[in-house]
Amino acid sequence: MLTGTARLARELSVTRSVIKKEYKMWRRYPSRVLFMLLMPFLSILTLYFQGMALVGGTTSEAFAEYAGTNDYLAFIIIGSAVFIFVSTAIWGIGNAIRREQMMGTLESIWVAPVSKYTIFFGIALFDGLFSIYIAFMQLLFSTIILPVNLVKPEMAIIVLVTALLLFSLYGMGFLFTGIVLLFKEMEDFTNLINTTLRMVSPVSYPLAAMPAPIAIVALFVPLTYALSAIRGYVGIIDTASLAHNAAILVVFDTAFLVVGSIVFTYAERRARRRGEIATH
Amino acid sequence: MHSNDVAIGTTHLTKTFDHRGGLLNALRKKDRRTITAVDDIDLEIGEHELFGLLGPNGAGKTSFIKILSTLLLPDRGTAHVNGWDILKNPFEVRMSIGLTLSSERQLYWKLTPRENLTYFASLYLLPRADITDRVEDLLTLLDLGEQSDDLVENLSSGNKQKVALARALLNDPPILFLDEPTIGLDPSFSGQFREMIKKEINRSKKKTILLTTHYMEEADQLCDRIAFINEGRIAALDTPKNLKRSIDEKDILTLSVSHTTEDMLKKISQFEEVSSVERFSHDNDVVLKIFTDSASACMQDVIGIITDERVQIHSFSSSTPTLEDVFIKLTGSVLE
Ligand SMILES: Nc1ncnc2c1ncn2[C@@H]1O[C@H](COP(=O)(O)OP(=O)(O)O)[C@@H](O)[C@H]1O
Ligand SMILES: [Mg+2]
């Protein structure tokens, strides 16, 4: 039987097949292609018009009191780009598994010897490419069309911190994949958590603007630290707070990956005990 | 680890399901029933054997196959597949088996057969270099022609099932589980497909096959041995020939009638030539199976009793026992 590094190498090569297959499936659903192409532009324009209506421009001094920067539009666009990664990392795997369940193919995958995590990894890579495309187009489009300058050398910080954030998010992703297997229902749950997450973490407004109880909840959401670290660059870069936030993220990463895997393992066994891998 | 010549062995294999009548009832702890889908099954299937599990809907066939495939965890007992324990070595079990399910949806409809097979082959951890060859060989075996590159959604049910069979063969496993392989297929295609399973896959490729079915002809034509399964239990196990010989009665009278009365059933069973009467409903009619040593000796009397009771006879026939008759005699249930 296949063991050790030989198995690991084979498992890794499966991720390529998963990406290929996800791409082919995606291409054959025209509505998904259209969404992907238009989404970055529409979402940015929405943010822009919102900003104009609320603040009357792209900067705001009132905003600066909370955020340390008056560049309201940059603040929001960056938050939004990071949120793309947040959403796909948390929901991408669970949604893909739910799709297979609805299509009727989940048992065919489950009975194969490949590790479930290999399939998850493939899905995550595929989704990651999507997120990169969307975030990149959003930033590019904003820079070209809108009166805001985002493309600076400090962009490296954003990429680095978002990468650090992703591990926590994939931990949550495993957890929610377990929840898909436990409860089947995903859509309402996705909306609920996404909205809550947006509310309790400083995506659309800074931490200082939150009422105290919510700000406390925000302290337990890894996104908060990522955004604090990233936004530093919109105002003044503060390397001490960057390092501090990054360290907190690493702790979150470990905790979320461990908890997520435990929940998934439990849910997977429970589904196999109840004969519920396939039911929809 | 490998016991000689046994491909699949189960001991005391048991699986129950809790049925809760909706969420509210579950909260009120009302209406809870426990269904024993697989009930203490001990079974041994030999290497290269083509073994059939024959039983009606809900008998526990799919549950049994899913337990052996590691998709379902048993409550009690265990099983060995290709020498591996399904609970302790699920990875090795998965490497040793191929599975087709009865659902048409087990493949990606938006991919072609070639794309489906290529993807699934990778999930069996085959070396990349082997995948293309393996897929090509199987597509040749299927003889799909141009449809190899057509979307699965455009294939007939029969061809979909062929692709599912090919998928089960991707890793060249010694053991195949086929859950109702010809369900929903038209009769002429079913015939061909059964031929292929027996000749190509079992006899020439020497695969051990466990298939489930509720078609008695399928079990009769294909299987080396058959286990009757009903309500999770094995009711009988033998070759088709021996099973058909196992009942003493030489004839079966089958009558389809409008209704039955207690009196009439009692009178019929009291005839010396009649050994037992089974009654079940089918398409708004009541069907009577009368097991007898001599149809000619009791036919007149049986008809007499029924007409005396003013019961209408819709059809009437006499035949030698089929596998289904044996099943009915042993379990009291019908197959379809
Ligand atoms: N996941 C499940 N949850 C609850 N009950 C189930 C589940 N799967 C099967 N059953 C029940 O177990 C019994 C056996 O089902 P199954 O194994 O599918 O039989 P068959 O394949 O012979 O038709 C049936 O009563 C069925 O309703
Ligand atoms: Mg079944």
Side-chain angles (χ1 to χ4, degrees), chain B residues 42-58:
Chain B
D42 291 313
L43 192 63
E44 269 190 9
I45 297 171
E47 269 178 33
H48 313 316
E49 198 173 0
L50 208 175
F51 192 97
L53 211 51
L54 177 67
N57 238 325

Side-chain angles (χ1 to χ4, degrees), chain B residues 140-159:
Chain B
T140 312
L141 177 76
L142 298 189
D143 198 19
L144 287 180
E146 308 218 317
Q147 289 220 300
S148 296
D149 294 304
D150 204 349
L151 295 186
V152 166
E153 65 186 1
N154 299 327
L155 267 52
S156 66
S157 306
N159 281 342

Side-chain angles (χ1 to χ4, degrees), chain A residues 8 44 67-68 72 77 103 108 137 150 160 162 186 189 256 278:
Chain A
L8 189 68
I44 281 302
Y72 170 79
I77 289 172
M103 286 190 296
S108 305
M137 292 309 272
L150 295 162
L160 198 87
T162 306
M186 192 68 176
F189 204 72
F256 275 76

Side-chain angles (χ1 to χ4, degrees), chain A residues 7 10 13-14 16-17 24 28-29 100 103-105 107-109 111 113-114 116 272-273 275, chain B residues 15 66 69-73 91 94-95 105-108 110 115 122-125 127-128 167:
Chain A
R7 173 159 180 206
R10 297 273 178 83
S13 88
V14 176
R16 209 174 88 181
S17 312
K24 281 182 188 145
R28 284 170 199 167
Y29 288 94
E100 301 272 352
M103 286 190 296
T105 45
E107 280 186 314
S108 305
I109 295 176
V111 78
V114 68
K116 305 300 167 289
R272 281 199 291 145
R273 214 163 42 236
Chain B
K15 181 72 208 173
K66 283 190 180 171
S69 318
T70 75
L71 285 174
L72 185 64
L73 292 169
F91 174 76
R94 289 170 182 183
M95 290 289 270
R105 290 275 171 183
Q106 61 190 309
L107 302 163
Y108 295 101
K110 287 283 179 196
E115 289 166 343
S122 78
L123 303 187
Y124 281 83
L125 305 175
R128 192 165 287 279
R167 189 194 59 197

